[in-house]
Structures are given as structure tokens and as C-alpha cells.
Amino acid sequence: VQLVESGGGSVQPGGSLRLSCAASQHMLNNYCMAWFRQAPGKAREGVAWIPIVGPASYADSVKGRFTVSQDRATRMLFLQMDNLKPEDTGTYYCAAQTSSSQCSAAVRDESVSMSTWGQGTQVTVSS
């Protein structure tokens, strides 16, 4: 197992959660890393991603509320989620891809896959 998520849970609207993803050092140095989410009955959505070279990017739906970061010393990828909304509910997945171009395509097109996926962690936002 190369990607393991943690940190999901249930929060009220307006609350915060921090998701973590344990990754191999090789991945953080050489792969595009991304967070996806999927709600029941809905398409997979790319939430945030860090290319091999360049700054992080975000889906419009989370821009200004979510922050993706990585700590290569501890081999961790994080997703800080603030001002959570009910529509943020879903299973969140950490994923990795060797190609930044395919990573960029995967976050926009559900038919494009990433090379490695975590098992997912549930986030529920409800009052």
C-alpha cells in the first residue's frame, strides 16, 4: 500500500477538517499528487493537485476554502478544508500520477485515471 488517507469525519457547516495522506518519499518527489472526492450518485471531482513542478491548483468549488500542501520530511500530503459546506460531503481520495499532464487531465475528466489511489476517507458536512 503506497497511499493511506486519514482525518475524515463529520462536521457542521462552517467547520474545518484536515485530511492527511501518507505517501512514499519517491512519490512526493516525482509524482503529481492530487485529492479527489466522490459523493454517492455523482461524478468524481478533482479537488486540489500539486504538479511535479509548479504551484498547486484547485477546483473552483473549493478555491479560497481548501489548501493542499505536502511535507516531504514526513512524507505526508495534506488537505486543509475550511468553511465546509454540505456539498463538500463525500469520500475523499489521495492519488498520484507520474505524468503532470495526465494528472491535470484526470482532475477534469473522470475517464482519465491516476496511477495510484488511496482507500478513501469519508467527510460528512451536516447540521
Side-chain angles (χ1 to χ4, degrees):
V1 176
Q2 294 181 291
L3 295 172
V4 180
E5 302 98 333
S6 61
S10 296
V11 295
Q12 294 185 340
S16 297
L17 280 174
R18 188 191 197 203
L19 304 184
S20 300
C21 174
S24 66
Q25 188 62 54
H26 175 71
M27 279 189 170
L28 292 184
N29 289 340
N30 299 287
Y31 284 50
C32 172
M33 302 297 296
W35 287 97
F36 292 81
R37 67 186 180 189
Q38 189 159 25
K42 294 189 176 180
R44 185 190 79 194
E45 180 183 14
V47 173
W49 56 100
I50 303 178
I52 299 171
V53 176
S57 297
Y58 301 89
D60 288 342
S61 58
V62 306
K63 203 169 291 183
R65 300 187 298 120
F66 288 15
T67 303
V68 62
S69 62
Q70 58 186 13
D71 184 337
R72 295 184 176 182
T74 59
R75 298 179 295 159
M76 297 294 291
L77 182 74
F78 303 102
L79 184 67
Q80 177 66 41
M81 306 186 294
D82 298 318
N83 190 21
L84 282 161
K85 303 177 180 180
E87 52 263 41
D88 294 319
T89 295
T91 303
Y92 283 69
Y93 299 89
C94 173
Q97 174 57 260
T98 54
S99 164
S100 282
S101 61
Q102 184 159 344
C103 182
S104 179
V107 298
R108 296 174 173 83
D109 184 348
E110 190 180 15
S111 68
V112 179
S113 187
M114 302 283 280
S115 57
T116 307
W117 292 88
Q119 83 286 355
T121 186
Q122 178 67 34
V123 171
T124 302
V125 185
S126 174
S127 55

